[in-house]
Amino acid sequence: MAADRRDVRPEFHPQGFAPVSPQRRGLLRAGLGLGAGSALLAGRGLRAEEVASPPAEAPYSLSLGPGVVDRVYGQPSRFEAGVIRRNVPWLTASPETSISFTPLQHQQGIITPSGVFFERYHAGRPTVDPSEHRLMIHGLVDRPLLLTMEDLRRFPSVSRIHFIECPANGGMEWRGAQLNSLQFTHGMIGCAEWTGVKLSTLLEETGLTRGAKWVLAEGADGAHMNRSIPLEKCLDDCLVVYGQNGEALRPEQGYPVRLLIPGWQGNVNVKWLRRLEIGNQPWFTREETSKYTELMPDGRARGFTWPLYAKSVITFPCPEMPAKGPGIYEIRGFAWSGLGKVAQVDVSLDGGVNWQRARLQEPVLPKALTRFTLEWRWDGRPALLQSRAVDETGFVQPTLAALRRVRGTNPIYNKNAIQTWQVKADGTVFNVQLA
Ligand SMILES: Nc1nc2c(c(=O)[nH]1)N[C@H]1C(S)=C(S)[C@@H](COP(=O)(O)O)O[C@H]1N2
Ligand SMILES: [Mo]
């Protein structure tokens, strides 16, 4: 098997990296057989008598429909009522310190609709009045600042598309598969267009004094969620955002203002942001010492592990979205990396023995969800589907076995391993782990 070894980080050397040969891809395309008389991709052919007459009219085609949707916020079709966030009640102690998951199996395109963007609270969701809210910036600065929301909106603004992923995404499964679901194994992620002010713009306004190296961000919720962020990252691409997908942030996402730290673990993206303190060393808060770190096999903590490394998952088929009999399908999924753009996604139909290059769907943006697809001619035999992302830095998404060799099975966080979906002969799909 040819090895297309990339410049992987020493921690991860997945075995058997074999890109698909052009001949093999050609065969698959030929298999689509779009010539005359061949099988249709989907749907049923029309009978001769049907070709001659238009489809029967439904009652709504013969009457007036309701008028404009005026003075209320628009809602999805009632036939989409199943497209909702869901929670795993046994996972956390109470709904106020809980998490609800994005229904990734239904997501079309790279933007997560605001109404289904996963939510994570440590002390419930505060109701913050934007006219009362203030953001304080102080510490090692020349000019400490107190900003109203109106003040914030006066600064030059930018819009960026980025994902937010909780590093606990999939963290229940370090020791074994237990949730037969895409939503529950991968749904602690969402991707949105965020609008706000670059943090560097605000820090230019306050100025920085000697020794400024770290920023403490603090939320206005009862948890006072606080995290230390290196100044270098703050000046690079961090945003203080008030907009989400073309409207104000949702209360679930930190209305009226949150910190956005592109590509870094969800926890540092402090919601209901009320305070930024500039200091010369990290604060070592609870959330960065007791939580959001990993217990290594030798019993020591892994320390700050901010970026989320390359990861991907197949969203069709998946446990919630089975295959319906043999035929031609499009395997679909998402890939992402906290280090930059996704460069390549490979898909395996046989549990990681052979790999084929998937197509990346535009736009491919840094630190954003990226769509991949691959034609799949399913013969109805059991299959083991996997996807593997490679990002522009050359980081290769590791197998679960490789990840466990390095991290053991103690951690909750940063499980970016390759996911395996077992497709059974009847088309049903199961979450499995390969040894
Ligand atoms: N103030 C505050 N910010 C917070 C949290 C919180 O509980 N309070 N939860 C954090 C965690 S753990 C994650 S994963 C992300 C989740 O962002 P979301 O709820 O917008 O999806 O917000 C982070 N910001
Ligand atoms: Mo989180």
Side-chain angles (χ1 to χ4, degrees), residues 117-123 164 166 219 221 225 252-253 258 266-267 269-272 292:
F117 200 104
F118 85 102
E119 34 165 2
R120 168 79 176 107
Y121 318 132
H122 290 71
I164 293 179
C166 177
D221 52 335
M225 169 65 64
E252 294 92 318
Q253 266 67 58
R258 87 178 300 168
N267 185 259
N269 296 262
V270 173
K271 304 192 274 191
W272 314 289
Y292 296 97

Side-chain angles (χ1 to χ4, degrees), residues 286-298:
R286 172 183 181 271
E287 301 297 327
E288 55 202 24
T289 50
S290 158
K291 308 294 171 190
Y292 296 97
T293 179
E294 286 154 61
L295 188 59
M296 298 298 284
D298 66 3

Side-chain angles (χ1 to χ4, degrees), residues 192-418:
E193 187 199 56
W194 309 98
T195 298
V197 188
K198 286 180 175 169
L199 183 46
S200 61
T201 304
L202 296 176
L203 295 178
E204 254 169 56
E205 188 77 359
T206 61
L208 294 167
T209 58
R210 268 173 67 101
K213 279 206 180 68
W214 288 82
V215 176
L216 180 79
E218 182 187 79
D221 52 335
H224 284 76
M225 169 65 64
N226 54 3
R227 289 292 306 256
S228 315
I229 301 135
L231 185 63
E232 201 186 359
K233 176 69 174 173
C234 294
L235 296 177
D236 176 20
D237 60 356
C238 294
L239 306 174
V240 172
V241 299
Y242 43 77
Q244 176 185 359
N245 294 338
E247 60 183 356
L249 282 181
R250 288 290 169 91
E252 294 92 318
Q253 266 67 58
Y255 181 86
V257 60
R258 87 178 300 168
L259 194 56
L260 195 87
I261 311 226
W264 283 21
Q265 52 176 230
N267 185 259
V268 295
N269 296 262
V270 173
K271 304 192 274 191
W272 314 289
L273 182 69
R274 70 186 287 265
R275 197 164 72 86
L276 293 166
E277 181 179 346
I278 320 304
N280 58 7
Q281 56 186 20
W283 279 256
F284 296 112
T285 70
R286 172 183 181 271
E287 301 297 327
E288 55 202 24
T289 50
S290 158
K291 308 294 171 190
Y292 296 97
T293 179
E294 286 154 61
L295 188 59
M296 298 298 284
D298 66 3
R300 289 190 301 173
R302 199 167 156 230
F304 291 120
T305 53
W306 297 297
L308 294 150
Y309 294 104
K311 188 167 171 182
S312 67
V313 70
I314 291 172
T315 58
F316 177 82
C318 73
E320 290 94 334
M321 295 286 185
K324 301 262 164 76
I328 298 161
Y329 292 92
E330 186 174 68
I331 291 177
R332 299 192 179 124
F334 289 116
W336 61 98
S337 165
L339 298 182
K341 288 184 186 176
V342 170
Q344 175 183 333
V345 177
D346 300 291
V347 169
S348 176
L349 309 175
D350 54 14
V353 180
N354 295 290
W355 295 92
Q356 304 175 46
R357 184 78 60 92
R359 192 174 68 87
L360 301 186
Q361 193 171 296
E362 293 292 336
V364 177
L365 302 172
K367 306 171 190 180
L369 284 185
T370 298
R371 207 61 165 130
F372 66 85
T373 60
L374 180 80
E375 292 96 347
W376 179 40
R377 195 181 168 80
W378 187 43
D379 55 14
R381 280 193 301 219
L384 292 168
L385 304 189
Q386 296 184 332
S387 65
R388 177 182 58 196
V390 182
D391 73 17
E392 61 179 342
T393 73
F395 187 97
V396 181
Q397 184 182 1
T399 62
L400 184 56
L403 201 55
R404 279 191 184 133
R405 276 199 293 279
V406 180
R407 307 261 179 82
T409 55
N410 284 333
I412 296 168
Y413 305 105
N414 299 316
K415 184 173 158 289
N416 65 327
I418 291 171

